[in-house]
């Protein structure tokens, strides 16, 4: 028998902003969550979570795998109908997912312009592509883009809507270290220019430290810890204040302090365990090995 | 809420039931290709560059056949030699024989039946598939009927069709229609339901209206599978044509076959069968071309 898949009608009707009662929020707030709760079966993933994000604030959300980061972000994006509590996110909300999720049968420009309600969507989209440095790839098919290009296109598609709240779910985790650094800079400059509030989900503590005004740690279904960062950007990752905060956050994440000394690679900015331009280990061995 | 979509829903037993499978043959091959086409590389390009190599074995086979006929190993009464078949084909084209008419006129009659039946089947199948695919109510009402009907072996319907529709054109065309309808229905329905849910979510966060969602996400997303359905149903409807045409035909390729059967002229039968085969190949090539045009994005060809 066929698995019960839902009709498009049902998919489409999910559009209405998720939670039933969204509380009133002052104008300086981009998102406000009160008592947000979500369970899957008997597992409570979010349990009465409260959070406010100020307009224009850059917030990073870290947490162990499975702690509910994506669940929270989907709730904010209005993609989750079964979440309870109150969520207020006035104004346009944009999302960039971990996979770029470009519509494969639309060229890059059409992807960015998709659903855009501007007077001249195409030229607006073109401007956005120029901002992320993809102007000359506008007529490419998404499947021909490199990972970094696709992610930048996805970013352009999110930003072109001039969101008040930009939700980023680990959009950089599949990129190599160099591309990541480039995209970090890009995100910061775009953020400085357009000033949306940003909620960046990441598992990379260094990424959070480099970018955010405030780092949140999700644990036990609520914001278990949070730390503001006032250092100006660009930040030196070896700054003593950041080093102290890094340790603190890693401890919050349940990583024993001394193990961070042994395996820093996992938490650095996505540095691969093997240097890309070095020959594979097998080639370094002697022929008789 | 996020149920990962299976690569292919159960009703998409593509070509493994019903007509195509009843006859084995190309239907199954197409189904394999269709599965592969879900990936990046479209089917049919795997042998590019060594295409001519694939001609060797058929040519050798025909050579052996000719040799067997010439040496008398294969009596002409069972199966004519390739040369005699070519000769027969030539005669059927240039001369209007009282028994068979010309090959062209028979071909035209058959093609007309096929085209009419096939077109009707595609329209009906896509229409019903879209209704089932887009609404749960449509699925609840239509799908059980379609699933039940498609399990009925088409061949078994012939006696009923004769009782219902007589022996004129209608049962033949309808037979072709039916074969195309079910496959188109199944593939369209599955195609719509298999549309990547992640893309549907993208549509939501981009604020697409329902009609835009259909136009930009759902229908284009279903297209690859609809085109696969088109290919499968071309094959199936051709098979239906071959069988349906032998219901007391008075014109067409099937008529040629039944006539030739009475006069034991195997080479005429062979000519008709080869023409059917060529029709099938041409139709398949046409759909492949269509796929290549419609699904450029999949190969990343920028034109
Ligand atoms: N649709 C679902 N059905 C059942 N359980 C789910 C569903 N979605 C998420 N979960 C569960 O909820 C928990 C939180 O998932 P979520 O995707 O939010 O984690 P995450 O913090 O984003 O993790 P990661 O860092 O690995 O992406 C996980 O244990 C996951 O298995
Ligand atoms: Mg996640």
């Amino acid at each position: 028998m066929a698995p019960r898949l839902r009709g498009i009608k049902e998919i489409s009707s999910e559009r209405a902003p998720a939670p039933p009662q969204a509380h009133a929020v002052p104008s300086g707030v981009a998102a406000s969550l009160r008592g947000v709760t979500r369970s899957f079966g008997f597992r409570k993933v979010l349990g009465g979570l409260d959070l406010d994000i100020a307009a224009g604030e850059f917030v990073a959300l870290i947490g162990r795998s499975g702690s509910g980061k994506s669940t929270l972000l989907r709730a904010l994006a209005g993609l989750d109908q079964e979440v309870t509590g109150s969520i207020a996110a006035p104004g346009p909300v944009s999302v960039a997912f971990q996979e770029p999720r470009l519509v494969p049968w639309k060229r890059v420009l059409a992807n960015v312009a998709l659903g855009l309600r501007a007077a001249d969507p195409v030229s607006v989209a073109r401007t956005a592509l120029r901002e992320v440095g993809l102007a000359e790839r506008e007529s490419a098919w998404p499947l021909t883009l490199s990972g970094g290009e696709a992610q930048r296109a996805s970013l352009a598609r999110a930003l072109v809507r001039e969101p008040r709240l930009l939700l980023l779910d680990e959009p950089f985790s599949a990129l190599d270290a160099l591309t990541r650094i480039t995209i970090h800079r890009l995100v910061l400059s775009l953020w400085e220019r357009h000033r949306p509030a940003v909620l960046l989900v990441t598992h990379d503590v260094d990424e959070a430290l480099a970018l955010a005004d405030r780092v949140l740690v999700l644990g036990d279904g609520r914001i278990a810890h949070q730390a503001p960062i006032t250092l100006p950007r660009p930040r030196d990752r070896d700054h003593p204040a950041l080093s102290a905060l890094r340790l603190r956050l890693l401890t919050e994440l349940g990583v024993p302090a001394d193990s961070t000394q042994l395996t820093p690679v996992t938490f650095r900015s996505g540095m691969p365990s093997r240097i890309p331009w070095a020959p594979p280990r097998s080639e370094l061995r002697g022929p008789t090995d | 809420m996020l149920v990962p979509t299976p690569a292919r829903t159960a009703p998409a037993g593509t070509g493994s039931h019903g007509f195509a499978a009843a006859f084995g043959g190309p239907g199954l091959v197409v189904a394999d290709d269709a599965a592969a086409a879900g990936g990046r590389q479209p089917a049919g390009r795997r042998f590019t560059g060594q295409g001519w190599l694939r001609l060797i074995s058929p040519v050798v086979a025909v050579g052996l056949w000719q040799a067997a006929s010439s040496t008398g190993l294969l009596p002409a009464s069972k199966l004519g030699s390739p040369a005699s078949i070519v000769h027969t084909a030539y005669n059927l084209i240039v001369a209007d024989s009282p028994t068979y008419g010309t090959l062209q006129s028979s071909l035209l009659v058959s093609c007309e039946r096929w085209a009419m039946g096939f077109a009707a089947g595609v329209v009906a199948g896509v229409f019903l598939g879209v209704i089932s695919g887009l609404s749960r109510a449509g699925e609840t009402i239509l799908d059980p009927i379609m699933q039940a009907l498609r399990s009925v072996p088409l061949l078994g319907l012939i006696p009923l069709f004769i009782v219902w529709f007589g022996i004129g054109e209608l049962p033949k065309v309808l037979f072709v229609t039916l074969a195309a309808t079910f496959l188109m229905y199944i593939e369209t329905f599955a195609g719509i339901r298999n549309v990547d849910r992640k893309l549907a979510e993208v549509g939501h966060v981009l604020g697409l209206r329902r009609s835009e969602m259909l136009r930009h996400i759902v229908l284009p997303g279903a297209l690859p599978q609809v085109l696969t359905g088109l290919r499968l149903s071309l094959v199936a409807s051709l098979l239906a044509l071959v069988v349906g045409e032998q219901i007391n035909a008075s014109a067409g390729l099937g008529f040629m076959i039944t006539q030739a059967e009475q006069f034991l002229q195997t080479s005429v039968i062979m000519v008709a069968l080869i023409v059917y085969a060529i029709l099938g190949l041409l139709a398949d090539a046409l759909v492949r071309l269509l796929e290549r045009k419609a699904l450029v994005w999949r190969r990343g060809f920028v034109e």
Side-chain angles (χ1 to χ4, degrees):
Chain A
M1 198 38 228
R4 305 301 296 179
L5 297 176
R6 294 171 318 154
I8 293 301
K9 200 173 250 164
E10 292 147 272
I11 297 175
S12 307
S13 62
E14 280 168 23
R15 272 238 281 123
Q21 353 76 310
H23 53 280
V25 290
S27 59
V29 170
S32 175
L33 297 88
R34 291 287 173 272
V36 167
T37 301
R38 176 66 157 106
S39 305
F40 294 105
F42 295 112
R43 276 200 56 214
K44 187 173 271 190
V45 174
L46 299 179
L49 182 142
D50 297 332
L51 172 65
D52 284 309
I53 299 175
E57 186 184 17
F58 199 130
V59 177
L61 178 66
I62 59 178
R64 321 187 74 162
S65 182
S67 58
K69 303 183 294 293
S70 297
T71 305
L72 175 62
L73 187 129
R74 294 173 54 82
L76 263 169
L79 288 171
D80 191 343
Q81 287 307 278
E82 278 149 72
V83 67
T84 57
S86 176
I87 301 178
V93 178
S94 279
V95 189
F97 296 94
Q98 174 163 4
E99 342 78 84
R101 296 201 192 181
L102 299 174
V103 180
W105 45 85
K106 294 201 171 287
R107 293 176 195 267
V108 169
L109 184 65
N111 256 283
V112 175
L114 188 58
L116 203 57
R117 311 265 177 245
D120 184 1
V122 170
S123 67
V124 176
R126 206 166 262 146
T127 312
L129 277 178
R130 203 172 313 127
E131 275 194 308
V132 299
L134 270 186
E136 80 286 7
R137 300 291 271 143
E138 66 167 51
S139 56
W141 293 109
L143 291 182
T144 67
L145 297 182
S146 74
E149 286 173 331
Q151 210 46 271
R152 277 185 282 156
S154 159
L155 211 53
R157 187 174 64 182
L159 278 169
V160 78
R161 275 135 247 275
E162 299 194 348
R164 241 172 84 81
L165 177 61
L166 176 62
L167 303 172
L168 305 173
D169 191 356
E170 302 195 31
F172 319 124
S173 59
L175 304 178
D176 66 277
L178 287 177
T179 313
R180 254 186 191 216
I181 293 169
T182 323
I183 292 214
H184 284 170
R185 295 213 180 112
L186 175 67
V187 166
L188 276 183
S189 75
L190 291 171
W191 171 69
E192 270 155 15
R193 193 161 342 144
H194 301 279
R195 280 287 161 175
V198 177
L199 179 63
L200 168 70
V201 168
T202 178
H203 59 259
D204 183 341
V205 176
D206 279 341
E207 185 169 280
L209 292 177
L211 299 177
D213 293 321
R214 182 158 57 118
V215 182
L216 309 174
V217 180
L218 189 61
D220 294 328
R222 50 182 72 219
I223 305 299
H225 181 76
Q226 54 178 307
I229 309 176
T230 48
L231 288 175
R233 303 176 183 85
R235 295 170 181 157
D236 174 11
R237 70 178 295 278
D238 296 322
H239 191 287
L242 289 189
S243 301
L245 188 52
R246 179 179 300 116
L247 267 184
R248 177 74 220 273
L249 291 174
L250 288 174
T251 314
E252 283 296 330
L253 291 170
V255 181
D258 52 345
S259 75
T260 65
Q261 296 301 318
L262 289 171
T263 53
V265 153
T266 337
F267 299 100
R268 295 256 169 85
S269 27
M271 192 66 100
S273 50
R274 189 171 73 77
I275 302 165
W277 50 84
R281 199 158 294 163
S282 56
E283 286 173 27
L284 294 175
R285 287 200 199 119
T288 52
D289 187 43
Chain B
M1 88 163 234
L2 252 195
V3 187
T5 21
R8 194 166 265 261
T9 36
T14 332
S16 53
H17 283 297
F19 221 92
F23 292 84
L28 293 176
V29 177
V30 175
D32 279 351
D33 281 358
R40 267 118 265 160
Q41 262 299 320
R45 285 185 56 83
R46 256 166 284 164
F47 301 102
T48 326
Q50 48 174 14
W52 61 273
L53 281 177
R54 293 164 56 78
L55 286 176
I56 294 178
S57 56
V59 167
V60 167
V62 171
L64 287 177
W65 174 11
Q66 180 64 50
S69 294
S70 307
T71 54
L73 212 63
L74 186 62
S77 58
K78 299 286 184 216
L79 185 61
S81 70
S84 77
I85 288 172
V86 171
H87 185 67
T88 308
Y90 176 76
N91 281 341
L92 283 170
I93 291 170
V94 295
D96 190 354
S97 92
T99 331
Y100 302 115
T102 62
L103 182 59
Q104 309 81 291
S105 60
S106 301
L107 180 62
L108 193 69
V109 170
S110 291
C111 278
E112 229 166 83
R113 286 176 187 145
W114 190 23
M116 270 167 40
F118 181 68
V122 168
V123 170
V126 169
F127 181 73
L128 296 173
V130 167
I131 291 181
S132 266
L134 291 187
S135 83
R136 183 45 66 82
E139 181 193 351
T140 312
I141 295 168
L142 282 177
D143 202 52
I145 300 178
M146 296 302 283
Q147 296 296 338
L149 284 183
R150 102 185 164 106
S151 317
V152 175
L154 276 185
L155 278 176
L157 285 177
I158 292 186
L160 268 184
F161 266 47
I162 295 178
V163 172
W164 290 342
F165 308 112
I167 52 173
E169 285 300 292
L170 187 62
K172 301 177 182 64
V173 173
L174 223 55
F175 207 58
V176 174
T177 302
L178 221 56
T181 303
F182 291 120
L183 284 170
M184 283 315 290
Y185 168 81
I186 286 158
E187 295 297 316
T188 307
F189 175 48
I192 288 178
R193 289 303 169 92
N194 286 350
V195 169
D196 191 350
R197 301 202 39 95
K198 292 185 166 181
L199 289 183
E201 286 188 354
V202 166
H204 298 147
V205 297
L206 295 183
L208 295 193
R209 303 189 189 99
R210 187 168 147 67
S211 61
E212 292 172 321
M213 191 81 150
L214 280 182
R215 211 176 91 215
H216 298 299
I217 308 279
V218 177
L219 296 182
L223 190 64
Q225 215 169 335
V226 171
L227 287 176
T228 298
L230 204 64
R231 248 161 77 193
L232 294 173
S233 57
L234 266 175
V235 174
S237 64
L238 183 65
L239 293 168
L241 179 76
V242 176
V243 176
E245 280 200 322
Q246 309 202 12
I247 312 174
N248 213 331
S250 57
L253 291 171
F255 170 69
M256 276 178 68
I257 291 180
T258 39
Q259 288 288 91
E261 194 185 335
Q262 285 173 23
F263 298 103
L264 302 174
Q265 290 196 302
T266 54
S267 33
V268 175
I269 299 181
M270 286 303 287
V271 169
L273 290 181
I274 289 169
V275 171
Y276 277 133
I278 293 173
L279 282 182
L281 287 176
L282 285 181
D284 197 57
L286 196 74
V287 179
R288 278 171 194 267
L289 191 75
L290 200 68
E291 281 184 339
R292 210 161 290 178
K293 289 274 168 231
L295 307 180
V296 253
W297 55 268
R298 220 157 49 175
R299 335 212 264 139
F301 271 4
V302 185
E303 285 173 325

